[in-house]
Amino acid sequence: MFFDFGLKDLIDILLVAIMLYYSYRVMRESRSLNVFFGVLIFVISWLFISQILEMKLLGSILNQLVNVGALALIILFQEEIRKFFYTIGTHQRVRSLLQLISGEKRKKHEKEDIMPIVLACMSMGKQKVGALIVIERSLPLNDIMRSGEIIDANINQRLIENIFFKNSPLHDGAMLISHKRIKAAGCILPVSHSMNIPKELGLRHRAAMGISQETDALAIIVSEETGNISIAFRGNFQLRLTAEELERILTEDHF
């Protein structure tokens, strides 16, 4: 045997595998997968040369490149690194553990905060008025709010419908709801370039998917073509929702 293999080594390998898996997912979504494989090949080569072959001269050169390259990678992939830690922090089991430690309890939201949104979406769906509503959760969306017109009003069905009325100047943007208030309208969202989005879904759906991939926000879409109501959450769509389904989703601690 060349080395002893124990439980600690197994845990070490599993942790590295998990870290590489999450890094792979983040890089794949940000279309930096080729860079990820390039960095991975370089790190494996560096470990093989310096640790196994013990080539001192080449190993020392690669060590210097790694020291400089680590800082360069942090600067180059700061958005991906932020998203990596965000993905870990918003993992359902991690969130449950944090809630258990802090003593936080889930609260069921009152219907008067939810029903105006549901009724407005159903009304706009019947009239085939397009709408995009983003509901902030744990991650602040101040940058999204600043991209639109500040409103800061109570949630009201008529206000929502008036904002998304076809002749309204704020019709094409997204509405942001935070802390049970309409914070802004006409907001600009990041657009997802995922190839998995069905081609029949338009730009509103891509914008909703984009914000759901980058944050933990929930996005409601009312299709201008079909009147169907959909939701984008954590990078997944729920399409053609009924009023009851929309109310249930908003009630289950997503609001």
Side-chain angles (χ1 to χ4, degrees), residues 72-103:
L73 288 175
I74 292 175
I75 297 173
L76 184 62
F77 295 108
Q78 54 182 328
E79 287 298 323
E80 284 78 5
I81 293 172
R82 183 186 66 83
K83 189 174 181 181
F84 171 75
F85 287 111
Y86 165 75
T87 303
I88 296 175
T90 55
H91 194 280
Q92 188 62 37
R93 293 182 180 178
V94 175
R95 287 179 59 85
S96 299
L97 179 60
L98 292 176
Q99 289 175 1
L100 180 63
I101 294 174
S102 63

Side-chain angles (χ1 to χ4, degrees), residues 41-194:
I41 292 171
F42 177 81
V43 170
I44 293 174
S45 301
W46 167 61
L47 291 175
F48 183 76
I49 291 171
S50 61
Q51 301 297 325
I52 298 177
L53 298 181
E54 296 183 352
M55 295 181 176
K56 295 182 179 180
L57 180 59
L58 186 56
S60 62
I61 294 174
L62 292 178
N63 285 338
Q64 295 300 320
L65 289 176
V66 168
N67 292 334
V68 177
L71 181 60
L73 288 175
I74 292 175
I75 297 173
L76 184 62
F77 295 108
Q78 54 182 328
E79 287 298 323
E80 284 78 5
I81 293 172
R82 183 186 66 83
K83 189 174 181 181
F84 171 75
F85 287 111
Y86 165 75
T87 303
I88 296 175
T90 55
H91 194 280
Q92 188 62 37
R93 293 182 180 178
V94 175
R95 287 179 59 85
S96 299
L97 179 60
L98 292 176
Q99 289 175 1
L100 180 63
I101 294 174
S102 63
E104 180 183 347
K105 296 181 179 179
R106 288 188 174 183
K107 297 180 180 179
K108 294 296 182 180
H109 301 285
E110 299 175 357
K111 282 194 173 183
E112 54 262 32
D113 298 317
I114 295 174
M115 290 311 298
I117 302 174
V118 176
L119 294 175
C121 289
M122 298 307 298
S123 176
M124 291 186 292
K126 290 179 181 179
Q127 301 174 56
K128 292 188 177 180
V129 174
L132 177 54
I133 302 173
V134 176
I135 300 176
E136 180 187 272
R137 299 181 74 243
S138 62
L139 189 67
L141 300 177
N142 296 330
D143 55 335
I144 300 297
M145 181 176 63
R146 287 192 293 268
S147 69
E149 297 293 331
I150 304 299
I151 295 178
D152 195 19
N154 291 327
I155 299 174
N156 182 278
Q157 178 185 349
R158 289 189 177 181
L159 177 58
I160 296 174
E161 293 184 33
N162 285 335
I163 288 174
F164 288 111
F165 182 68
K166 292 184 179 180
N167 294 328
S168 169
L170 303 177
H171 167 72
D172 289 329
M175 174 185 291
L176 176 62
I177 294 179
S178 173
H179 298 97
K180 301 181 181 181
R181 292 183 65 82
I182 300 175
K183 290 292 187 179
C187 299
I188 300 173
L189 303 184
V191 177
S192 173
H193 298 281
S194 173

Side-chain angles (χ1 to χ4, degrees), residues 117 132-138 141 175-177 189 208 211-212 215-221 230-234 236 238 241 246 248-255:
I117 302 174
L132 177 54
I133 302 173
V134 176
I135 300 176
E136 180 187 272
R137 299 181 74 243
S138 62
L141 300 177
M175 174 185 291
L176 176 62
I177 294 179
L189 303 184
I211 194 68
S212 76
T215 71
D216 64 344
L218 183 146
I220 306 172
I221 316 102
S230 306
I231 275 182
F233 183 59
R234 296 194 184 281
N236 294 300
Q238 295 187 48
L241 297 175
L246 179 60
R248 175 183 56 79
I249 292 171
L250 294 179
T251 303
E252 292 176 349
D253 205 23
H254 293 310
F255 188 80

Side-chain angles (χ1 to χ4, degrees), residues 1 12 35-36 64 111 147 161 203-204 206 209 232 243:
M1 295 291 293
D12 187 21
V35 179
F36 170 77
Q64 295 300 320
K111 282 194 173 183
S147 69
E161 293 184 33
L203 186 59
R204 281 192 181 89
R206 287 195 169 273
M209 176 60 70

